[in-house]
Amino acid sequence: MIKIKKIKNNLNKKKQRLSYPIIEIDSNKIKDNISNQYFNNGFSSNEISTTKYTRYNFIIKNLLEQFKKLTNIYFIVIAIITLIPEVSPLGPETTLLPLGFVLGVTMIKDGFEDYRRYQADTASNSRSYEVYNREKKEFESIKSKSIRVGDIIKLNNDQSIPADILVLKTPIEDGVCYVETSQLDGETNLKIFKAIKATNNLNEFDEILDYDNNNFNLKVECELPNNNLYKFKGKFSLENVQSGISCQESISEKQLLLRGSKLRNLPNSLYGLVVYCGKDTKLSLNQKSPPSKYSSIEKKISKSVLGIFAFKIVLVIISTIIGSKVANDTTNKSWYLWMGDEDPDSLGIVIVKTFVAYFANLSFLVPMSLMVTLEVVKVSQGKFMEWDLLMSYKEKRYRNQNKIKNQQYSTIELEENNEYQNSSNKYMSVKNSNLNDELALVKYIFSDKTGTLTENKMVFSKCSINGKVYNNAMRSQLSNELFNNEDNNDSFKNSPTSISSNKEPTDHQKYISEFLLNMCICNSAICEIDKDSNEVYQSQSPDEISLLECAKINRYQFKSRSTSEIKIKILNTEKVFQLLAVMDFTSERRRMSVCVRDPETMKIFIYTKGADSIMIEKLSNMEKQSDLLIKTKEHIQQFSTEGLRTLILAMKEIPQNYFDQWFIEYNQALQLIEDRDERLNELYEQLEIDLCLIGCTAIEDKLQNGVPESIEYLLKANIKIWVITGDKQETAINIGYSCKLLNPKNHLIIINIKSQEECKQLLLSINEKYLNQSEMDKKDISIVVDGESLIYILKDFQEEFLKISSKCHSLICCRTTPIQKALVVRMVKKNTKEICLSIGDGANDVSMIQEAHIGVGIMGHEGTQAARASDYSILRFRHLVRLISVHGRYSIIRNSACIKYSFYKNVTFFFISFLFSIHSGWSSQTFYEDALITTFNTVITSAPPYFMALFEKDVNERVIEKNPQLFKEVQSGKQFKYLTIVKSIIGGLYHSVAMYFGLYLLVNNDDIVNQYGKMGGLTMMASFCSAYAVITILLKAALDIKYWNFIVHIGIWGSLFIYIMVAIITSAMLDAIPSSYYVYYFDLSLLKFYLMIIIMIFICLVPNFSYKYIKRQLYPKESTILQENYILNRNKIKKIKL
């Protein structure tokens, strides 16, 4: 016990560690088993396990999870009762076999899913890597799971990285390496990482490995493991004990290769030091399950099951009261029932026995297999969605083959090859099939703009340089003007460029030169050579690629970058700038800066680009008052009105003395582990001031094909669309009109506020003006609100804002941050209680996607983070229409039909057992044979609800695509409400009463003899009743089904055949079921048996048929009328062709 407590305490200490242990490789300790030492000191093993179960705990753990469900607990209680023969009227097999079937199916599904995870883990853990063996003094191949913190590992090109590794030495000049991180963040562009200078500069890296001849001590201090992929802080120390020389270097995310990424373009081996293993790696810490989401139908099912259970308890109490009274007053006084020596049971015992007996007898009023059926159904529906070619890269081809003339897509040109050629995913993907039916209930759609509504393929469109607009920059307009001298002014004397010309460049030409130079220097792109020997730019930002392409066309060509220099080709001359500092772009900074030294003049310059709202504040006071800024603002306004994305470009010269002092503080900040980012941002602010304005760029991000038509469809379907973007207000409004989100006929309300009081007054006036309009004056309303206004709205005025926004036609939030996107979704979800769907394509959309009831990711150019975090991932925005209107509609109709039918069939079949108590002296005698009870749910009637939920269609999908108003029929969720469940149960009760008392009336006073020549008793009557009950239940399914195909026919008539086979087999089992021997064979020889089936089917189903007929003829739904028109037109076309 003491040892166990110690182990627990050690584990708790490990979980609560306040700092990460120092990784120290000391030559004096080489004889120790350093890997085990590290592991015991709190480092994780590199073995990865994502499975839920092991071979030893699978059965027990899975059963424990399954018995967390109330229905399974309920039926295990029933099973226990059936094991007590003195109490239970049922045999144990009636519950144990169906329950075992349900548990077994779920167990097989869970086991298969976990086995696939196990296979993936095994493949990952078994990969071989070369790790340095300190005892053998050589690299040896070991499995990934055997790698430990402190190991020095050798990696080659295209090799997956097995742990988080600090780069010690690379074979590329200046210690850089190129890494693909698509498995981490979904971004396919290559990123630059660099080695630690102290180790990369060693002439022979073997010096650090050979401990006997050299006394190198290596020490790494790291921050605690965390899930931030883009941040890492630490210190690296290298000491040569022999010479006494030591050095320290700060390390950041630029030196840390993360597990799951891959090395690219590596000519030779790379050496690294393992710092995080296994569960401590950033990949593992990011592999968290998305928030659990459940559909509203699932929640209603749970409450409906509780309602059925309450109804059953009422029946049990009634039966117990009457049964106990009958037993006490009549049965106990009947001497012929007590022939033995035992005395009759007391009243208390009778009550308990009767209650327990009826509790078991009526247990099947609750459908046992419903939840399993729904699970399998939803997974199957998800597969149907993934197989839908109209949401795949084969969309155009499939439409052409089937000659679908769809109104929505009649004007859309679906360029199959161009749209999908760069996409690795060719089909949509379902991550959470629990929400299939929830798609039909969507009231709000929250959408990102860039990459979601647009292609995210940036094309340089226009620019403004020194107050002059260039509309044809991509046609060498800048280079043509740059190399033609017209006038000679003396501005930009300190320019780091020189133009190849006999004349001195003009002032404007120098602006053009600085503009092109800024685009080449201020970026994080890399230049690659493709298989056709062409130079290709790769960058995390598509904007940067478009800027570099424009510069290249205008003869300023970015060639390469390393950690210390940037190479640019101007005309035919290559120029190398010394790279001094890079201030990366972040969503908070919204700008990027690069400091370089001009090799010719040895002067230092900073080049900056960023959003105009930030950059204007960074200009010098002279620039802020200049005509150039006024003109540039006008041009930005003009470009934004055209829907273009704009960036301001600026630069300045930095005095050498000032930079030297700044650079010292900058290097000191890099050495920090705590508060490093805060200190660096302070230093960035010091340098990024008093900038000189050069001009602005305008980049076009074209709308995806079909976006305007899709948004128009969704708005007509009564779905409110909110576009949440970081773009400027003018750009957002223009895009809103071009994609038909905004309508010129609607009122457009623009909310730009600067204070809390102003926010309050504006919202009050808007609500007073628009919410009190008369019907004649009412128009659709659209709202545009900026991010600054949202700060006040989200904090204090959510209710007032939602009063008007809930009435509006559409809404655009511009200049928003990623966290504001999620907060807006949360506000609407929480206050309106409506179903919200979020759709996006980038990492900044993940929080919004996970906050909504339904998250949809688009597999775009910004990576696959949004798609991975989503419930559904699609290829294009237009596919959202089909996902919601077709698959969402079919799912809710199918699942509702499955659930209602499951409740109906169980109530219909098993309520008869309660009615039989009237003629059995309330003795809890079962009406049906145990074999029939056992097979009813799991064999006889399992197929119809499944196939109903898989193939049912109320209207053809072509009709749905042409008529968006049909979505309103399912949007309210009236297909599945508590009232619909009550109606199904009432229908089942009516059929039960009609069947039982119809049987009683038809056979009462009628001398029907059985196979033995005796009066037909309970067994024969039960066989009569079960026959027409099963047939009626199956025909009820046939009556409800609107869409028939070959498989549905097999499901319905195959179930009837199965029932007949079950009845024949049980009638032939003399030893096992002697009471039923030959009963069914004898029934088939009686004319009355067939007449009773016909009569009872007529009595039960004619009211259902009549109700459906009257409702369809006198009160038809719009979908019914449109479907009839579709069938009539289709038949006419067929006749014309014939």
Side-chain angles (χ1 to χ4, degrees), residues 81 110 195 243 412 465 636 727 737 745 793 864 929 964 1083:
I81 292 173
D110 293 344
S243 63
I412 301 175
I465 304 175
I636 290 174
D727 284 341
Y737 282 116
K745 298 179 181 179
I793 290 170
T864 59
E929 285 293 338
D1083 290 344

Side-chain angles (χ1 to χ4, degrees), residues 122-131 140-147 153-156 159-162:
T122 303
S124 177
N125 290 327
S126 300
R127 291 195 187 105
S128 296
Y129 291 90
E130 289 188 77
V131 173
E140 65 176 2
S141 180
I142 66 171
K143 291 184 178 181
S144 173
K145 65 180 180 180
S146 301
I147 294 172
I153 188 170
K154 183 163 69 171
L155 298 168
N156 297 311
Q159 197 166 14
S160 180
I161 297 169

Side-chain angles (χ1 to χ4, degrees), residues 169 379 499:
K169 188 174 181 64
V379 172
I499 303 170

